[in-house]
């Protein structure tokens, strides 16, 4: 029993000699900050938040069925608004790809720049209506998230491309 007492006493004294309350409080504070930041840093699908932020309806000029619509400044593909869907939702029978390319487009209604995520809708063959190719903010292929020439349906259950939606992710600063 004395052996265990000595062992615990030595280990306790070693911990007491090598640490301090200030060190403990500093580490505890770091853990609290990291714990608070963790939900923001995790790769979680925040599509519902982005769709809820989609509110420039009053100042949303233009025809969503036209390639000249302001949200389509970096689009390359068929417009879902011509294929049975809308600007922000895929047609029935297709699913939205979870990976996307992005562009920054200016809304002429309010003069602000918006970050637009272009998601491909996958699962059915191309609707072949309202084909648009606009490359206003396209980057080279080695910057894939700013390039619209990739089949983004590779991240979906089906890699068959149907059309593309344009979802506002936020105001560009």
């Amino acid at each position: 029993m004395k052996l265990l007492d000595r062992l615990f006493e030595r280990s306790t004294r070693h911990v007491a000699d090598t640490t301090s309350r200030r060190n403990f409080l500093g580490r505890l504070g770091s853990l609290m900050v990291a714990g608070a930041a963790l939900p923001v840093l995790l790769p979680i699908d925040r599509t519902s938040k982005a769709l809820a932020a989609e509110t420039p309806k009053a100042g949303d000029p233009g025809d969503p069925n036209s390639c000249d619509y302001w949200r389509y400044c970096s689009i390359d593909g068929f417009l879902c608004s011509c294929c049975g869907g809308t600007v922000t939702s895929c047609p029935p029978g297709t699913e939205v790809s979870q990976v996307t390319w992005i562009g920054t487009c200016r809304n002429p209604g309010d003069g602000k720049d918006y970050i637009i995520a272009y998601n491909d809708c996958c699962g059915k063959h191309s609707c072949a209506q309202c084909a648009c190719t606009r490359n206003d903010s396209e980057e080279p292929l080695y910057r894939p998230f700013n390039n619209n020439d990739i089949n983004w349906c590779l991240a979906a259950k089906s890699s068959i491309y149907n059309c593309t939606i344009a979802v506002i992710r936020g105001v560009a600063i």
Side-chain angles (χ1 to χ4, degrees):
M1 198 60 152
K2 284 187 175 188
L3 179 66
L4 282 177
D5 285 340
R6 262 188 272 148
L7 179 71
F8 281 113
E9 182 182 358
R10 283 184 189 160
S11 62
T12 304
R13 287 186 186 276
H14 176 71
V15 168
D17 288 341
T18 58
T19 60
S20 67
R21 278 180 250 142
R22 184 177 293 166
N23 185 10
F24 172 75
L25 290 175
R27 288 182 187 217
L28 181 66
S30 297
L31 285 173
M32 290 175 62
V33 170
L38 189 63
V40 177
L41 300 175
L42 289 175
I44 298 171
D45 182 22
R46 294 181 174 87
T47 314
S48 59
K49 252 187 196 177
L51 291 175
E54 179 118 358
T55 53
K57 300 291 181 212
D60 199 5
D63 178 16
N65 296 331
S66 167
C67 289
D68 294 328
Y69 184 51
W70 70 271
R71 286 192 199 189
Y72 301 148
C73 70
S74 293
I75 201 161
D76 187 0
F78 302 110
L79 305 179
C80 286
S81 57
C82 295
C83 301
T86 66
V87 175
T88 59
S89 65
C90 292
T94 62
E95 67 167 329
V96 66
S97 176
Q98 293 302 312
V99 293
T100 181
W101 75 92
I102 59 170
T104 304
C105 302
R106 180 173 291 273
N107 181 347
D110 61 7
K112 294 181 183 176
D113 291 329
Y114 289 89
I115 299 169
I116 308 293
Y118 299 99
N119 292 80
D120 287 343
C121 296
C122 315
K124 286 180 167 179
H125 288 288
S126 296
C127 73
Q129 296 177 16
C130 300
C132 293
T133 303
R134 294 186 58 195
N135 301 320
D136 294 1
S137 61
E138 183 182 27
E139 294 285 335
L141 195 56
Y142 57 82
R143 297 207 42 189
F145 289 101
N146 293 76
N147 186 286
N148 59 16
D149 295 327
I150 298 172
N151 180 4
W152 294 97
C153 286
L154 295 175
K157 290 177 189 169
S158 172
S159 63
I160 301 171
Y161 169 77
N162 182 263
C163 60
T164 303
I165 59 174
V167 179
I168 295 175
R169 291 293 180 179
V171 178
I173 298 173

